Structure formats: C-alpha cells, structure tokens
Amino acid sequence: MNQWLTLLQKETLEMWRNFKWIWVPITFILLGVKEPLTAYYMPQILDAVGGLPEGAVIQIPTPSAAEVLISGLGQYTTLGVLIIVLTTMGIIAAERKSGVAAMILVKPVSFQSFITAKWAGSALLMWVSFFIGYLATWYYTGLLFEWIPFEQFLQTYFFYALWLTVILTITVCCSASLVSPGMAGFISLAAAIVISLVSSTLSNWLEWSPAQLTTYANEVLINQGISDQTLPAGILAVICIIILLSLSVFIFRKKELAA
C-alpha cells in the first residue's frame, strides 16, 4: 500500500510540474461558464454583431435553468472528453517510449501498482477539474436564470463523472497497449465516439450502456428524478472500468516482459 501511495504521490507531483493542475481546471471552468453566459447575453451579442434589417426585433425564448445546465454538460461530453484524452494518452505510452517506465519497474514495483497509480492520479485530476468547472456552470446558471437544487447538481455530476472515468480508463488501456501516444489518443477518441453513437442510436436495446449515464443525468434535471436504468448503467460502468484496468495491467506486463 505504501508503494502504491508513493507512486500516486509521484504522479500528482509530476502533474503539478507539467501545470496540469492549473490549466486543466481553468479549461473546465471556461467550458463551464461559457454556456450560461452565452445563453443569457445572446440577444445583446446578436445586436452587437449587427447585420439585421432596420427595425428588426430579436426575440429569443429564454431557456430554463435545466436546459442551460444540460447545454453546459454537453460541453464536457465533447471538448471535455477531448481534453481528458489529450492529457491521458501519453501517461504510459510516453514513459515506455522514453524508457522511464523501465527504470521505475527495475525497482520492486508491481505492474498493477504502476498502472493503477497512474490511473488514480489522472482520475483525481479529472474529477476535481470537472467538479470545479461544473460548479461554475451551476453557479452562473443560478445567478443568471434560476437555482437548481444542489442535490440534483451532485447527482448529475456523479453520473457524468462516471462516464468520463470510463473514457479515461479506455485511454489508459490504449496507452498501456501502444507505444505511440498519438495513436492511443486517436483510438480512444474513436472508441468514445462509436460507443456514444451506438448507445444513442440503439438506446432501446442498450439502456444499461455506460454512455447512457449522460442521458439519465439530463433526465434528473428535466424530470427531477432518477431513472430506473441509472443504477444498472452505473454498475456496468464500474465493471467496465475494472475490466479495462485489469486488461491494461495484463497487456502492459506482457509487453514489458517480452521486451
């Protein structure tokens, strides 16, 4: 356990040195505040841009607070996923390519501790950054529109964060399997897109898909209740994370021992 905590501390310290603990939360905050501010000031923005006939009146329906939050969360399933993949794709592949991983594994460090500590560090960064960013979305939505109960904020945060953790774990698995960080990132993004598209297209048959957690989170804001399918989807997401982590350790051990 002490070995694992030491590796986790090393990973978090490395992210401080790379300024990830600064620019990732700031980026998530910018993503978070963009939607409520844009929705609130859209008439003024259109008026400032101009180009409308003289005397034209801009009438844009005022969105509800739930709609604004859902739009804000949508930023994290697109640009947020991209940021997660970009910050994680080289977490193992880059160290294998540079030889740092081999230097660490020469010491009495298990493959499992090495992989899971790196995953835990990246997951901690993602959960903290997403919480800060989404909190900014919730705050500005309440300030400009209407306050959503904090309980609903926490529920939707957890469901979205769980799905983002699945994406992060896919990226870690790809990074453990490949030497090229770029290829690991490309495959991870492709996998995330395919899973999301298939789950949304076949939603009636794939109600327990982890990708459906974002839909169930949106239903919490719209219907103010948790869907019956949310728990099975969440359990399946946790199972997928465990399987992907185990697969990462297995592939990484096999490749390192064969090298």
Side-chain angles (χ1 to χ4, degrees):
M1 187 63 182
N2 289 334
Q3 180 190 82
W4 187 86
L5 290 175
T6 301
L7 289 172
L8 178 60
Q9 184 179 11
K10 169 193 169 295
E11 192 63 28
T12 53
L13 182 61
E14 188 68 24
M15 288 189 290
W16 272 113
R17 290 172 178 170
N18 294 332
F19 302 104
K20 287 184 180 180
W21 281 106
I22 298 176
W23 72 262
V24 175
I26 290 176
T27 305
F28 272 70
I29 290 173
L30 293 177
L31 287 177
V33 302
K34 182 178 77 69
E35 197 60 37
L37 290 177
T38 303
Y40 186 80
Y41 291 107
M42 182 58 70
Q44 291 88 333
I45 294 173
L46 292 176
D47 186 52
V49 171
L52 295 175
E54 187 177 353
V57 179
I58 302 174
Q59 292 184 343
I60 300 177
T62 302
S64 65
E67 291 172 340
V68 174
L69 269 186
I70 290 172
S71 298
L73 285 169
Q75 298 293 320
Y76 297 110
T77 56
T78 51
L79 295 176
V81 166
L82 179 62
I83 293 169
I84 290 170
V85 171
L86 290 176
T87 56
T88 312
M89 64 184 187
I91 191 172
I92 300 170
E95 290 199 358
R96 283 181 60 197
K97 192 173 183 179
S98 63
V100 174
M103 292 174 60
I104 295 175
L105 292 170
V106 167
K107 303 174 183 179
V109 175
S110 67
F111 292 97
Q112 183 177 355
S113 296
F114 181 77
I115 296 292
T116 55
K118 284 188 168 297
W119 172 85
S122 296
L124 180 63
L125 173 65
M126 185 273 293
W127 278 71
V128 171
S129 300
F130 178 47
F131 181 82
I132 295 173
Y134 186 35
L135 184 65
T137 309
W138 175 80
Y139 175 76
Y140 276 95
T141 300
L143 203 63
L144 300 175
F145 295 92
E146 183 182 357
W147 290 102
I148 297 291
F150 194 70
E151 179 183 358
Q152 293 181 19
F153 162 81
L154 291 177
Q155 290 171 346
T156 52
Y157 163 75
F158 178 77
F159 298 149
Y160 264 83
L162 192 55
W163 164 238
L164 294 178
T165 306
V166 174
I167 301 298
L168 184 147
T169 313
I170 291 174
T171 309
V172 170
C173 186
C174 291
S175 186
S177 306
L178 302 167
V179 178
S180 171
M183 184 58 67
F186 174 78
I187 294 176
S188 302
L189 281 176
I193 292 171
V194 170
I195 294 172
S196 298
L197 287 177
V198 172
S199 298
S200 60
T201 303
L202 305 176
S203 57
N204 292 332
W205 291 276
L206 299 175
E207 293 181 338
W208 292 3
S209 170
Q212 296 284 27
L213 286 170
T214 57
T215 302
Y216 300 144
N218 295 340
E219 289 180 2
V220 171
L221 295 172
I222 297 173
N223 303 324
Q224 298 182 355
I226 299 177
S227 170
D228 294 335
Q229 306 302 327
T230 305
L231 180 60
I235 293 174
L236 186 57
V238 174
I239 293 173
C240 288
I241 291 170
I242 295 173
I243 292 174
L244 286 168
L245 274 178
S246 302
L247 186 62
S248 302
V249 175
F250 174 78
I251 294 174
F252 184 70
R253 179 190 291 115
K254 186 176 180 181
K255 286 184 174 292
E256 285 298 311
L257 291 178

